[in-house]
């Protein structure tokens, strides 16, 4: 064992440095919360009845989704109308969707047939 020892200063804080060597609460914590908020804040999109591509199944529609990447596997849900009859129609049309693929700033939805109405969708990144 060596005769030389070093005393560690376990109480050194950001105030002892130039602000870049240690965790800066004002800067780092706020930046992290902004990233967390952006990731978990739901986004609402609309699949329009007129923008489906394809002559036969599968029909596709690509929509822009800010911050989406191919690594994200979002939770997608229907935003139903308050009116019962309208909500039932929306649910039937939403059931035509069977798959989605995320990419850089987009999601491509696949459907067995084009929806007859616009579908309001909420996207949550989990």
């Amino acid at each position: 064992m060596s005769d030389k020892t070093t005393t560690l200063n376990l109480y050194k804080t950001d105030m002892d440095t130039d602000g870049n060597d240690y965790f800066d609460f004002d800067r780092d914590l706020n930046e992290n919360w902004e990233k967390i908020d952006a990731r978990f804040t739901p986004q609402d999109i609309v699949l329009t009845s007129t923008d489906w591509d394809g002559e036969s199944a599968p029909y596709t529609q690509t929509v822009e989704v800010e911050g989406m990447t191919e690594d994200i596997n979002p939770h997608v849900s229907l935003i139903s109308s308050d009116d019962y009859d309208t909500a039932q129609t929306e649910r039937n049309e939403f059931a035509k969707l069977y798959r989605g693929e995320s990419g850089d700033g987009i999601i491509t939805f696949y459907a067995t047939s084009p929806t007859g109405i616009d579908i309001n969708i909420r996207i949550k990144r989990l």
Side-chain angles (χ1 to χ4, degrees), residues 6-104:
T6 302
T7 303
L8 300 177
N9 183 352
L10 300 178
Y11 301 102
K12 192 167 189 167
T13 67
D14 189 58
M15 293 186 295
D16 300 321
T17 70
D18 65 1
N20 293 319
D21 298 335
Y22 294 93
F23 189 83
D24 179 321
F25 285 98
D26 288 337
R27 180 194 66 222
D28 298 334
L29 191 60
N30 287 332
E31 285 178 7
N32 286 335
W33 278 116
E34 288 170 8
K35 291 175 186 175
I36 290 168
D37 286 345
R39 174 150 188 192
F40 293 105
T41 300
Q43 290 180 271
D44 295 345
I45 61 167
V46 177
L47 294 178
T48 61
S49 62
T50 57
D51 288 334
W52 289 99
D53 294 322
E55 297 297 319
S56 62
Y59 297 89
T60 61
Q61 187 170 152
T62 300
V63 292
E64 292 183 13
V65 179
E66 184 179 338
M68 186 59 58
T69 67
E70 65 183 25
D71 299 342
I72 297 173
N73 186 16
H75 178 267
V76 177
S77 59
L78 173 67
I79 302 171
S80 295
S81 170
D82 291 336
D83 177 72
Y84 176 78
D85 292 330
T86 303
Q88 290 296 64
T89 301
E90 290 167 339
R91 288 183 61 203
N92 290 336
E93 295 299 304
F94 183 73
K96 294 177 180 180
L97 305 177
Y98 69 90
R99 183 173 150 211
E101 289 181 347
S102 58
D104 280 342

Side-chain angles (χ1 to χ4, degrees), residues 108-123:
T108 300
F109 290 91
Y110 294 80
T112 56
S113 62
T115 58
I117 60 171
D118 293 351
I119 303 293
N120 296 300
I121 293 178
R122 177 155 293 146
I123 297 171

